[in-house]
Amino acid sequence: MTFRVHRKTVTESTNLDARAGVHGDVYVALEQTAGRGRLDHRWLSAPGENLTLSAVLDVSRLDVAAAATLPLAVGLAVAAALERLAPGLDFRVKWPNDVLVGWRKICGVLCERRGNLVIAGIGVNVRQREFPDEIAFRATSLAQQGIEVSLDEVERALLEELGGVYDRWLAGGFGALLPEFARRDALKGVRVKVRQRDDDDGVEGVCGGVAADGALIVDGRAVYAGEIGPLNLDPARIV
Ligand code: BTN
């Protein structure tokens, strides 16, 4: 598939702009005044330094459960795009859809369903070298990793990969992407705690990977939603 790109210098959130879009529209901004993350978090991104965009994708050909796996596919597309620009780095996908390099987050994905459409909001840290204290210990960027590229280059690679991954996902569901996801899976073999809310006990165990229906397998149990706490990403806890 191909995309139609709409650009703004400043906006509140490209995910909000994308509500006006149809399948194939992409909204890009150099600065977001109210960038949004998953679970009502904010997305902090230095103006003009990072890629912040939202793509509108039709998911009506898949049933609701199958369509819910699109965020996993989006994370995969980002990892593939970044690997094209930085072949020496090991980009990993952390279920459900963060992209990590060296256990630090380089990209976040916020997918929001609206009827037959999904708004896939993608934030990639490209040129930002310093991050606010609250995220500095777990964030990184291509520049911090020694890769100097323009936002245009990242956007081009990302939209090419996203188009290709979306087509494969539409034709074969997430199962068609599973081998690639397994190759990039950050959590397989790692002890994790998955929480639905900040105040619940969560499900703790060793991650066995991701299933074809998109579930995270934790000690043999399938988990369909939740968040892996940053503390669980300490490499010392890899089993
Ligand atoms: C997360 O990791 O919590 C998801 C972050 C998603 C950020 C992107 S930036 C482009 C789009 N617009 C937003 O307001 N959020 C997403």
Side-chain angles (χ1 to χ4, degrees):
M1 71 169 296
T2 51
F3 294 102
R4 292 169 301 278
V5 180
H6 310 270
R7 296 182 192 284
K8 276 189 184 174
T9 308
V10 185
T11 195
E12 199 177 326
S13 157
T14 56
N15 266 36
L16 295 180
D17 295 338
R19 292 185 180 185
V22 296
H23 175 64
D25 282 332
V26 170
Y27 295 81
V28 186
L30 286 176
E31 177 178 356
Q32 298 188 120
T33 54
R36 299 159 62 216
R38 294 177 62 237
L39 306 174
D40 288 332
H41 294 157
R42 289 177 304 153
W43 181 253
L44 303 171
S45 179
E49 299 199 348
N50 302 317
L51 188 65
T52 48
L53 66 76
S54 301
V56 184
L57 296 167
D58 188 334
V59 296
S60 61
R61 276 167 52 188
L62 281 79
D63 66 39
V64 172
T69 63
L70 182 62
L72 299 165
V74 174
L76 211 49
V78 175
L82 297 182
E83 188 176 275
R84 269 167 59 176
L85 299 166
L89 296 179
D90 186 19
F91 295 99
R92 302 253 146 198
V93 183
K94 174 187 159 231
W95 183 92
N97 49 23
D98 291 345
V99 179
L100 311 180
V101 59
W103 291 100
R104 284 170 180 254
K105 181 161 164 172
I106 196 162
C107 166
V109 176
L110 172 66
C111 286
E112 298 179 296
R113 182 144 189 180
R114 293 181 71 81
N116 287 334
L117 301 173
V118 165
I119 294 171
I122 303 170
V124 184
N125 297 331
V126 180
R127 304 182 67 82
Q128 186 169 351
R129 287 180 180 277
E130 289 181 5
F131 293 90
D133 286 349
E134 69 245 53
I135 57 169
F137 69 100
R138 60 188 162 95
T140 192
S141 65
L142 287 173
Q144 256 196 9
Q145 298 292 324
I147 305 295
E148 298 291 342
V149 283
S150 67
L151 299 188
D152 283 351
E153 285 172 279
V154 181
E155 182 187 308
R156 210 173 312 123
L158 175 56
L159 293 183
E160 278 173 21
E161 292 292 340
L162 184 62
V165 164
Y166 171 79
D167 287 342
R168 286 163 58 208
W169 175 83
L170 205 57
F174 179 63
L177 304 173
L178 200 54
E180 200 176 323
F181 195 96
R183 192 164 62 76
R184 297 188 186 279
D185 191 344
L187 298 179
K188 193 165 182 201
V190 175
R191 177 161 283 279
V192 296
K193 182 176 257 187
V194 194
R195 286 197 171 94
Q196 245 79 148
R197 298 180 315 275
D198 283 348
D199 59 350
D200 74 13
D201 285 344
V203 178
E204 188 168 352
V206 176
C207 175
V210 172
D213 66 355
L216 184 75
I217 306 302
V218 181
D219 277 352
R221 283 172 294 174
V223 179
Y224 287 91
E227 191 69 6
I228 317 272
L231 290 178
N232 300 106
L233 290 181
D234 179 349
R237 298 186 62 167
I238 297 175
V239 292

